Amino acid sequence: MDREEQLSRLWDDIVGEMKRLDGGDSFGIDTYIAPLSLTEDNGETLTLAYPAGTLIDWVELNYEDRIVFAATKVLKGARNVTFQQVDAPAPAAQEAVPAAEEKAPAPKATPKRKATRGKGAPVSGLNASFTFDNFVTGGCNDFACAAAKACAACLEKMPYNPLFIYGGPGLGKTHLLHAIGNAILAGHEGAKVLYLTSEVFANDYIDAIGNGSRAITEFRRKYRKADVLLIDDVQFLSRGAKTQEEFFHTFNALLGSGKQIVLTADCPASQITNLEPRLSSRFQQGMTVSVHLPDLETRTAILRNVCKQWKSEYITDDIVNYLARSVTRSVRQLVGACVRLVTFASFAGRCPTMAEARQYIADIVRESKGGTVTVADIQQRIANEFDLRLAELTGPRRNAAVVQPRQLAMYLSRKLTGSSLQEIGAAFGGRSHATVLNAARKVEADIAKNPELAAVVKKLAAELA
């Protein structure tokens, strides 16, 4: 088998893994990933060739991380990705777009992107598309963004370490991580910035163990020589005790050397199930910030920013307003819906009608409206309603100002989620299933006696559901 055929088969395996991870929904992959081809794998970087006319900005923004993740699973080792333009047109991507006109103008080809790395620095794994300039702020994320900018601006004199950013999926945590790294590389030539997910860290460690002491030494050198370590989805570290131990020592080595660490997770460090207490305490010793669901105004601003980035005059205010009101649970879904319509408009050479807009993003709207509320969603909503910090809601305090909101959050968690009593208790600081059950019964009894409380509970349940 020659090299070209090997690379072709490897790419088929990676695309197949992407489809498997997406649960079989292959529309986007068939549309945007099919025109790519794997031309090189040097052990560190996969080089993907794309034909002229490919919407490579869209691919990088929405699929680069997923390509890296799928490649890591197929190759059982971390890879960076770079894109290189070739001269051939991209008919497959054009044909896959619904209702494209035969004579529709193709979008302009985008230039090849330079690798995101400082002089003398290792491959960073950063996505150049994620910057502070195109991160839209609002009440849901402005404090988190300010903290991220402070980290990026003060590399030699860190304001807090580590920075821990938490929030639900698709709300901008990964964007902020990449923005920090890109800003540091732009302002500090030669800085060694390393971005990866906790699963990549775990896989790297497992591979190193299997390859002997020299591989372990190389593994430790790779991570402990970084100037900035950016770890996404750190909650997945809790799956392995040995991986946690190794990360504990990596964390201490970096902190002891005055290096910056930024972590993201889907919940506060104190709520990560099975995370060792010594790691949890270290994650909380710096600054913890959160990102929440954006309000209508912020969602509208995000959509207008997407249209501006894509230089699209086709998306009308009516469509923007429809998107902002219909896709509410994830910024990633919101951006994806907008770019899908921008793509259609670019190929069709006209603005989609409202009926067409509804048709082309119907699956995203259904998923957004049908999303399952989580215990973390409920905790955040209750904390906001009663002006509490999440740490108070899940902590040991038992004063009246905290107990009733905590019981109410447990009650709603039992009513609105599929979580077991044990899972709910664990999310509230490790409380027992009996405590959760008693809290739910207490709220039910209070609702029966107190119409005002019943109205509040009804309002909160309706908003969350």
Coordinates of all heavy atoms in Angstrom, one line a residue, residues 178-247:
H178 N -9.0 29.7 23.5 CA -8.2 30.0 22.3 C -7.8 31.4 22.2 O -6.7 31.8 21.8 CB -9.0 29.5 21.0 CG -9.0 28.1 20.8 ND1 -8.0 27.4 20.2 CD2 -10.0 27.1 21.2 CE1 -8.4 26.1 20.2 NE2 -9.6 25.9 20.7
A179 N -8.8 32.3 22.6 CA -8.5 33.8 22.5 C -7.3 34.1 23.5 O -6.5 34.9 23.1 CB -9.8 34.5 22.9
I180 N -7.3 33.5 24.6 CA -6.2 33.8 25.6 C -4.9 33.4 24.9 O -3.9 34.1 24.9 CB -6.4 33.0 26.9 CG1 -7.5 33.6 27.7 CG2 -5.1 33.0 27.7 CD1 -7.9 32.7 28.9
G181 N -4.8 32.1 24.3 CA -3.6 31.7 23.7 C -3.2 32.5 22.5 O -2.0 32.8 22.4
N182 N -4.1 32.9 21.7 CA -3.8 33.7 20.5 C -3.3 35.0 20.9 O -2.4 35.6 20.2 CB -5.0 33.8 19.6 CG -5.3 32.5 18.8 OD1 -4.4 31.8 18.4 ND2 -6.6 32.2 18.7
A183 N -3.9 35.6 21.9 CA -3.4 37.0 22.4 C -2.0 36.9 22.9 O -1.2 37.8 22.7 CB -4.4 37.5 23.4
I184 N -1.7 35.8 23.7 CA -0.4 35.7 24.2 C 0.6 35.5 23.1 O 1.7 36.1 23.2 CB -0.4 34.5 25.2 CG1 -1.2 34.9 26.5 CG2 1.0 34.1 25.6 CD1 -1.4 33.7 27.5
L185 N 0.3 34.6 22.1 CA 1.3 34.4 21.0 C 1.5 35.7 20.3 O 2.6 36.0 19.8 CB 0.7 33.3 20.1 CG 0.8 31.9 20.6 CD1 0.3 30.9 19.6 CD2 2.3 31.5 21.0
A186 N 0.5 36.5 20.1 CA 0.6 37.8 19.4 C 1.5 38.8 20.2 O 2.2 39.6 19.5 CB -0.8 38.4 19.1
G187 N 1.4 38.7 21.5 CA 2.1 39.7 22.3 C 3.4 39.3 22.9 O 4.2 40.1 23.4
H188 N 3.7 38.0 22.8 CA 4.9 37.4 23.4 C 5.6 36.5 22.5 O 5.3 35.3 22.5 CB 4.6 36.8 24.8 CG 3.9 37.6 25.8 ND1 2.6 38.0 25.7 CD2 4.5 38.3 26.8 CE1 2.3 38.8 26.8 NE2 3.4 39.0 27.4
E189 N 6.5 37.0 21.7 CA 7.1 36.1 20.7 C 7.9 35.0 21.3 O 8.7 35.3 22.3 CB 8.0 37.0 19.8 CG 8.6 36.2 18.6 CD 9.5 37.1 17.7 OE1 9.6 38.3 18.0 OE2 9.9 36.6 16.7
G190 N 7.7 33.8 20.9 CA 8.4 32.7 21.4 C 7.7 32.0 22.6 O 8.3 31.0 23.2
A191 N 6.6 32.5 23.1 CA 5.9 31.9 24.2 C 5.5 30.5 23.9 O 5.0 30.3 22.7 CB 4.7 32.8 24.6
K192 N 5.6 29.6 24.8 CA 5.2 28.2 24.6 C 3.8 28.0 25.1 O 3.6 27.9 26.3 CB 6.2 27.3 25.3 CG 7.6 27.4 24.7 CD 8.6 26.5 25.5 CE 10.0 26.7 24.9 NZ 11.0 25.9 25.7
V193 N 2.8 28.1 24.2 CA 1.4 28.0 24.6 C 0.9 26.6 24.1 O 1.1 26.2 23.0 CB 0.6 29.1 23.9 CG1 -0.9 29.0 24.3 CG2 1.1 30.5 24.4
L194 N 0.2 25.9 25.0 CA -0.2 24.6 24.7 C -1.7 24.5 25.0 O -2.1 24.7 26.2 CB 0.6 23.5 25.5 CG 0.4 22.1 25.0 CD1 0.8 21.9 23.6 CD2 1.3 21.2 25.9
Y195 N -2.5 24.2 24.0 CA -4.0 24.0 24.2 C -4.3 22.6 23.9 O -3.9 22.0 22.9 CB -4.8 24.9 23.3 CG -6.3 24.4 23.2 CD1 -7.2 24.8 24.1 CD2 -6.7 23.5 22.2 CE1 -8.5 24.3 24.1 CE2 -8.0 23.0 22.1 CZ -8.9 23.4 23.1 OH -10.1 23.0 23.0
L196 N -5.1 22.0 24.7 CA -5.6 20.6 24.5 C -6.8 20.3 25.4 O -7.1 21.1 26.4 CB -4.5 19.6 24.7 CG -4.0 19.4 26.2 CD1 -3.5 18.0 26.4 CD2 -2.9 20.4 26.5
T197 N -7.5 19.3 25.2 CA -8.6 18.8 26.0 C -8.0 17.9 27.1 O -6.9 17.3 26.9 CB -9.7 18.1 25.3 OG1 -9.1 16.8 24.7 CG2 -10.2 18.9 24.1
S198 N -8.7 17.7 28.2 CA -8.2 16.8 29.2 C -8.1 15.3 28.7 O -7.3 14.5 29.1 CB -9.1 16.8 30.5 OG -10.4 16.4 30.2
E199 N -9.0 15.0 27.7 CA -9.0 13.6 27.2 C -7.7 13.4 26.4 O -7.1 12.3 26.4 CB -10.2 13.4 26.3 CG -10.2 12.0 25.7 CD -11.6 11.5 25.4 OE1 -12.6 12.3 25.5 OE2 -11.7 10.4 24.9
V200 N -7.2 14.4 25.6 CA -5.9 14.3 24.9 C -4.8 14.2 25.9 O -3.9 13.3 25.7 CB -5.7 15.6 24.1 CG1 -4.3 15.6 23.5 CG2 -6.7 15.6 22.9
F201 N -4.8 14.9 27.0 CA -3.8 14.8 28.1 C -3.8 13.3 28.6 O -2.8 12.7 28.8 CB -4.1 15.7 29.2 CG -3.1 15.7 30.4 CD1 -2.0 16.4 30.4 CD2 -3.3 14.8 31.4 CE1 -1.1 16.4 31.4 CE2 -2.4 14.7 32.5 CZ -1.3 15.5 32.5
A202 N -5.0 12.8 28.9 CA -5.1 11.4 29.4 C -4.6 10.4 28.4 O -3.8 9.5 28.8 CB -6.6 11.1 29.8
N203 N -4.9 10.6 27.1 CA -4.5 9.6 26.1 C -3.0 9.7 25.9 O -2.3 8.7 25.7 CB -5.2 9.9 24.8 CG -6.6 9.5 24.8 OD1 -7.0 8.6 25.6 ND2 -7.4 10.1 23.9
D204 N -2.4 10.9 26.0 CA -1.0 11.1 25.9 C -0.3 10.4 27.0 O 0.8 9.7 26.8 CB -0.6 12.6 25.9 CG -0.6 13.2 24.5 OD1 -1.0 12.5 23.6 OD2 -0.3 14.4 24.4
Y205 N -0.8 10.5 28.2 CA -0.2 9.9 29.4 C -0.3 8.3 29.3 O 0.7 7.6 29.5 CB -0.9 10.3 30.6 CG -0.4 9.7 31.9 CD1 1.0 9.8 32.2 CD2 -1.2 9.1 32.8 CE1 1.5 9.3 33.4 CE2 -0.7 8.5 34.0 CZ 0.6 8.6 34.3 OH 1.2 8.1 35.4
I206 N -1.4 7.8 28.8 CA -1.6 6.4 28.7 C -0.6 5.8 27.6 O 0.0 4.8 27.8 CB -3.0 6.0 28.3 CG1 -4.0 6.3 29.4 CG2 -3.2 4.6 27.8 CD1 -5.4 6.3 29.1
D207 N -0.4 6.6 26.5 CA 0.5 6.2 25.5 C 1.9 6.2 26.1 O 2.7 5.3 25.8 CB 0.5 7.1 24.3 CG -0.8 6.9 23.5 OD1 -1.5 5.9 23.6 OD2 -1.2 7.8 22.7
A208 N 2.3 7.2 26.9 CA 3.6 7.3 27.4 C 3.9 6.1 28.4 O 5.0 5.5 28.3 CB 3.8 8.6 28.2
I209 N 2.9 5.8 29.2 CA 3.1 4.6 30.1 C 3.4 3.3 29.3 O 4.2 2.5 29.6 CB 1.8 4.4 31.0 CG1 1.7 5.6 31.9 CG2 1.9 3.1 31.7 CD1 0.4 5.5 32.7
G210 N 2.7 3.2 28.2 CA 2.8 2.0 27.4 C 4.2 1.9 26.6 O 4.6 0.9 26.2
N211 N 4.8 3.1 26.5 CA 6.1 3.1 25.7 C 7.3 3.3 26.6 O 8.4 3.5 26.0 CB 6.0 4.3 24.7 CG 5.0 4.0 23.6 OD1 4.9 2.9 23.2 ND2 4.3 5.0 23.2
G212 N 7.2 3.1 27.9 CA 8.4 3.1 28.7 C 8.8 4.4 29.4 O 8.2 5.4 29.1
S213 N 9.9 4.3 30.1 CA 10.3 5.5 31.0 C 10.7 6.7 30.1 O 10.5 7.8 30.5 CB 11.4 5.0 31.9 OG 12.5 4.5 31.2
R214 N 11.4 6.4 29.0 CA 11.8 7.5 28.1 C 10.6 8.3 27.6 O 10.6 9.5 27.6 CB 12.6 7.0 27.0 CG 13.1 8.1 26.1 CD 14.1 7.6 25.0 NE 15.3 7.1 25.6 CZ 16.3 6.7 24.9 NH1 16.3 6.6 23.6 NH2 17.4 6.2 25.5
A215 N 9.5 7.6 27.2 CA 8.3 8.2 26.7 C 7.7 9.1 27.8 O 7.1 10.2 27.6 CB 7.3 7.2 26.2
I216 N 7.7 8.5 29.1 CA 7.1 9.3 30.2 C 7.9 10.6 30.4 O 7.3 11.6 30.7 CB 7.1 8.4 31.5 CG1 6.1 7.3 31.3 CG2 6.7 9.3 32.7 CD1 6.0 6.3 32.4
T217 N 9.2 10.5 30.3 CA 10.1 11.7 30.5 C 9.7 12.7 29.4 O 9.6 13.9 29.7 CB 11.6 11.3 30.4 OG1 11.9 10.3 31.4 CG2 12.4 12.5 30.5
E218 N 9.6 12.3 28.2 CA 9.2 13.2 27.1 C 7.9 13.8 27.3 O 7.6 15.0 27.1 CB 9.3 12.5 25.8 CG 10.7 12.1 25.3 CD 11.5 13.4 25.1 OE1 11.0 14.3 24.5 OE2 12.7 13.4 25.5
F219 N 6.9 13.0 27.8 CA 5.6 13.5 28.1 C 5.6 14.6 29.1 O 5.0 15.7 29.0 CB 4.7 12.3 28.6 CG 3.4 12.7 29.3 CD1 2.3 12.9 28.5 CD2 3.3 13.0 30.6 CE1 1.1 13.3 29.1 CE2 2.1 13.3 31.2 CZ 1.0 13.5 30.4
R220 N 6.4 14.4 30.2 CA 6.5 15.4 31.3 C 7.2 16.6 30.8 O 6.8 17.8 31.1 CB 7.2 14.8 32.5 CG 6.3 13.7 33.2 CD 7.0 13.0 34.3 NE 6.1 12.1 34.9 CZ 6.4 11.1 35.7 NH1 7.7 10.8 35.9 NH2 5.5 10.3 36.3
R221 N 8.2 16.5 30.0 CA 8.9 17.6 29.4 C 8.0 18.5 28.6 O 8.0 19.7 28.6 CB 10.1 17.2 28.6 CG 10.9 18.4 28.1 CD 12.1 17.9 27.3 NE 13.1 17.2 28.1 CZ 13.4 16.0 28.0 NH1 12.9 15.2 27.0 NH2 14.3 15.4 28.8
K222 N 7.2 17.8 27.8 CA 6.2 18.5 26.9 C 5.3 19.4 27.6 O 5.1 20.6 27.3 CB 5.4 17.5 26.1 CG 4.3 18.1 25.2 CD 3.5 17.0 24.6 CE 2.3 17.5 23.8 NZ 1.4 16.5 23.2
Y223 N 4.7 18.9 28.7 CA 3.7 19.7 29.4 C 4.3 20.6 30.5 O 3.7 21.7 30.7 CB 2.7 18.7 30.1 CG 1.8 18.1 29.1 CD1 2.0 16.7 28.7 CD2 0.7 18.8 28.4 CE1 1.1 16.2 27.7 CE2 -0.1 18.2 27.5 CZ 0.1 16.9 27.1 OH -0.7 16.3 26.2
R224 N 5.4 20.2 31.1 CA 5.9 21.0 32.2 C 6.8 22.2 31.7 O 7.3 23.0 32.5 CB 6.6 20.1 33.2 CG 5.7 19.1 33.8 CD 6.3 18.2 34.8 NE 5.4 17.1 35.2 CZ 5.6 16.3 36.1 NH1 6.7 16.3 36.9 NH2 4.7 15.3 36.4
K225 N 7.2 22.2 30.4 CA 8.0 23.2 29.8 C 7.1 24.3 29.2 O 7.6 25.3 28.7 CB 9.0 22.7 28.8 CG 10.1 21.8 29.4 CD 10.9 22.5 30.4 CE 12.0 21.7 30.9 NZ 12.9 22.4 31.9
A226 N 5.8 24.1 29.2 CA 4.9 25.2 28.6 C 4.9 26.4 29.4 O 5.0 26.4 30.7 CB 3.5 24.6 28.5
D227 N 4.8 27.6 28.8 CA 4.6 28.8 29.5 C 3.2 29.0 29.9 O 2.9 29.6 30.9 CB 5.1 30.0 28.6 CG 6.6 30.0 28.3 OD1 7.3 29.7 29.3 OD2 6.9 30.1 27.2
V228 N 2.3 28.5 29.0 CA 0.8 28.7 29.3 C 0.2 27.3 28.9 O 0.4 26.8 27.8 CB 0.2 29.8 28.4 CG1 -1.3 29.9 28.7 CG2 0.9 31.1 28.6
L229 N -0.5 26.7 29.8 CA -1.2 25.5 29.6 C -2.7 25.8 29.6 O -3.3 26.2 30.7 CB -0.9 24.4 30.7 CG -1.5 23.1 30.5 CD1 -1.0 22.4 29.2 CD2 -1.1 22.2 31.6
L230 N -3.4 25.5 28.5 CA -4.8 25.7 28.4 C -5.5 24.3 28.3 O -5.3 23.7 27.3 CB -5.1 26.6 27.2 CG -4.3 27.9 27.0 CD1 -4.5 28.5 25.6 CD2 -4.7 28.9 28.1
I231 N -6.3 24.0 29.3 CA -6.9 22.6 29.3 C -8.4 22.8 29.2 O -9.1 23.4 30.1 CB -6.6 21.8 30.6 CG1 -5.1 21.7 30.7 CG2 -7.3 20.5 30.6 CD1 -4.5 20.6 29.8
D232 N -9.0 22.2 28.2 CA -10.5 22.2 28.0 C -11.1 21.0 28.6 O -10.6 19.9 28.6 CB -10.8 22.3 26.5 CG -12.0 23.2 26.2 OD1 -12.7 23.6 27.1 OD2 -12.2 23.4 25.0
D233 N -12.4 21.2 29.1 CA -13.2 20.1 29.7 C -12.4 19.3 30.7 O -12.3 18.0 30.7 CB -13.6 19.1 28.6 CG -14.6 19.8 27.6 OD1 -15.4 20.6 28.1 OD2 -14.6 19.5 26.4
V234 N -11.9 20.0 31.7 CA -11.1 19.4 32.7 C -11.9 18.4 33.6 O -11.3 17.5 34.3 CB -10.4 20.4 33.6 CG1 -11.4 21.0 34.6 CG2 -9.2 19.9 34.3
Q235 N -13.2 18.4 33.5 CA -14.0 17.5 34.3 C -13.7 16.0 34.0 O -13.9 15.1 34.8 CB -15.5 17.8 34.2 CG -16.1 17.5 32.9 CD -16.0 18.6 31.9 OE1 -15.4 19.6 32.1 NE2 -16.7 18.5 30.8
F236 N -13.3 15.8 32.7 CA -13.0 14.4 32.3 C -11.8 13.8 32.9 O -11.5 12.6 32.8 CB -13.0 14.3 30.8 CG -14.3 14.6 30.1 CD1 -14.4 15.6 29.1 CD2 -15.4 13.9 30.5 CE1 -15.6 15.9 28.5 CE2 -16.6 14.3 29.9 CZ -16.7 15.2 28.9
L237 N -11.0 14.6 33.6 CA -9.8 14.1 34.3 C -10.3 13.1 35.4 O -9.5 12.2 35.8 CB -9.0 15.2 35.0 CG -8.1 16.0 34.1 CD1 -7.4 17.1 34.9 CD2 -7.0 15.1 33.5
S238 N -11.5 13.3 35.9 CA -12.0 12.5 37.0 C -12.2 11.0 36.7 O -12.4 10.2 37.6 CB -13.3 13.1 37.5 OG -14.3 13.0 36.5
R239 N -12.0 10.7 35.4 CA -12.3 9.3 35.0 C -11.1 8.3 35.4 O -11.3 7.1 35.4 CB -12.5 9.2 33.5 CG -13.8 9.9 33.0 CD -13.8 9.9 31.5 NE -15.1 10.5 31.0 CZ -15.4 10.7 29.8 NH1 -14.5 10.4 28.8 NH2 -16.6 11.2 29.4
G240 N -9.9 8.9 35.7 CA -8.8 8.0 36.0 C -8.0 8.5 37.1 O -7.5 9.7 37.1
A241 N -7.7 7.7 38.1 CA -6.9 8.1 39.3 C -5.5 8.4 38.9 O -4.9 9.4 39.4 CB -7.0 7.0 40.4
K242 N -4.9 7.6 38.1 CA -3.5 7.8 37.7 C -3.3 9.0 36.9 O -2.3 9.8 37.1 CB -3.0 6.6 36.9 CG -2.8 5.3 37.7 CD -1.6 5.4 38.6 CE -1.3 4.1 39.3 NZ -0.1 4.2 40.2
T243 N -4.3 9.3 36.0 CA -4.2 10.5 35.2 C -4.3 11.8 36.1 O -3.6 12.8 35.9 CB -5.3 10.6 34.2 OG1 -5.2 9.4 33.3 CG2 -5.2 11.8 33.3
Q244 N -5.2 11.7 37.1 CA -5.3 12.8 38.1 C -4.0 13.0 38.8 O -3.6 14.2 39.1 CB -6.5 12.5 39.1 CG -7.8 12.6 38.5 CD -8.9 12.6 39.6 OE1 -8.9 13.4 40.5 NE2 -9.9 11.7 39.5
E245 N -3.4 11.9 39.2 CA -2.1 12.1 39.9 C -1.1 12.7 39.1 O -0.3 13.6 39.5 CB -1.6 10.7 40.4 CG -0.3 10.8 41.2 CD 0.1 9.4 41.7 OE1 -0.6 8.4 41.5 OE2 1.2 9.4 42.3
E246 N -1.0 12.3 37.8 CA 0.0 12.9 36.9 C -0.3 14.4 36.7 O 0.6 15.2 36.6 CB 0.0 12.2 35.6 CG 1.1 12.7 34.6 CD 2.5 12.5 35.1 OE1 2.8 11.5 35.9 OE2 3.4 13.3 34.8
F247 N -1.6 14.7 36.5 CA -2.0 16.1 36.3 C -1.7 17.0 37.5 O -1.3 18.1 37.4 CB -3.4 16.3 35.9 CG -3.8 17.6 35.4 CD1 -3.4 18.1 34.1 CD2 -4.5 18.5 36.2 CE1 -3.7 19.3 33.7 CE2 -4.8 19.8 35.8 CZ -4.4 20.2 34.5

